[in-house]
Amino acid sequence: MDVRGSTTLAEGMRPTDFSQLMNRFYAVATDVMVKTDALIDKLVGDEVIGLYLPGWAGPNHARLAVKAARDLLHATGHGTPHGPWLPVGVGVHTGIAFVGTVSGIEGTVTDLTALGDAVNIAARLASTAGPGEALISHATYAAAGVDLGDLEQRQLELKGKSQPIGVHVLRALVG
């Protein structure tokens, strides 16, 4: 999940005000993800990355990731009569990834992270999603086993990918 137009937002705000807005975003996003059994990978700039690992979130990990996407849109005000307090886009993809520690020079600080094609696809989906959109890959939609109604579907050409990726577009509806 990441913020749309954060550079423009930051340009028009005092640094302390922007910091407070981003801290609110981090708190809301991590709260939603933790409540849906995500492992928070990192908070980077205007992005929060959560992992829904089968060994951590259980066999319904894909369903929980889709629920989190919907909850994140609502928690940031998308789908409310007043509109969002922060424009965000969400990308969700399911696949096999390396999840573990990586390090630089032997004996230096290590970091827990996720690496691989599935992670790259999720990141590209998050950066492609428009404000108030969650792009749910066909792989995740199938694995989640949920019926979200008649959602718009798209075939996306993602940077670095040789084949298009099919997605379902989830939007928060006012109501």
Side-chain angles (χ1 to χ4, degrees), residues 1-3 22 25-34 36-53 56 65 68 72 89-93 97-99 111-116 118-127:
M1 147 179 241
D2 60 36
V3 177
M22 293 309 296
F25 165 65
Y26 295 148
V28 166
T30 57
D31 181 60
V32 166
M33 289 183 186
V34 167
T36 54
D37 294 330
L39 174 64
I40 304 301
D41 182 22
K42 54 184 67 81
L43 311 177
V44 174
D46 65 354
E47 183 175 17
V48 177
I49 302 168
L51 306 174
Y52 288 84
L53 307 171
W56 182 275
L72 286 163
V90 182
V92 184
H93 181 62
F98 167 84
V99 178
D111 186 25
L112 176 68
T113 195
L115 301 170
V119 178
N120 293 338
I121 291 171
R124 297 283 191 242
L125 293 178
S127 67

Side-chain angles (χ1 to χ4, degrees), residues 17-164:
D17 293 337
F18 185 68
S19 172
Q20 290 173 345
L21 179 66
M22 293 309 296
N23 282 331
R24 180 180 177 196
F25 165 65
Y26 295 148
V28 166
T30 57
D31 181 60
V32 166
M33 289 183 186
V34 167
K35 285 180 178 174
T36 54
D37 294 330
L39 174 64
I40 304 301
D41 182 22
K42 54 184 67 81
L43 311 177
V44 174
D46 65 354
E47 183 175 17
V48 177
I49 302 168
L51 306 174
Y52 288 84
L53 307 171
W56 182 275
N60 292 322
H61 57 91
R63 183 175 300 186
L64 291 168
V66 170
K67 178 182 179 355
R70 176 181 277 156
D71 291 353
L72 286 163
L73 293 176
H74 286 288
T76 52
H78 294 276
T80 66
H82 301 298
W85 55 267
L86 192 65
V88 298
V90 182
V92 184
H93 181 62
T94 300
I96 297 172
F98 167 84
V99 178
T101 57
V102 293
S103 60
I105 300 170
E106 188 175 332
T108 62
V109 176
T110 60
D111 186 25
L112 176 68
T113 195
L115 301 170
D117 188 48
V119 178
N120 293 338
I121 291 171
R124 297 283 191 242
L125 293 178
S127 67
T128 303
E133 289 184 341
L135 299 181
I136 313 293
S137 73
H138 288 336
T140 299
Y141 193 85
V146 295
D147 180 6
L148 298 174
D150 189 24
L151 298 179
E152 175 189 349
Q153 294 186 47
R154 298 181 192 156
Q155 291 291 318
L156 302 175
E157 301 283 339
L158 300 178
K159 180 181 173 184
K161 296 298 297 168
S162 60
Q163 298 294 315

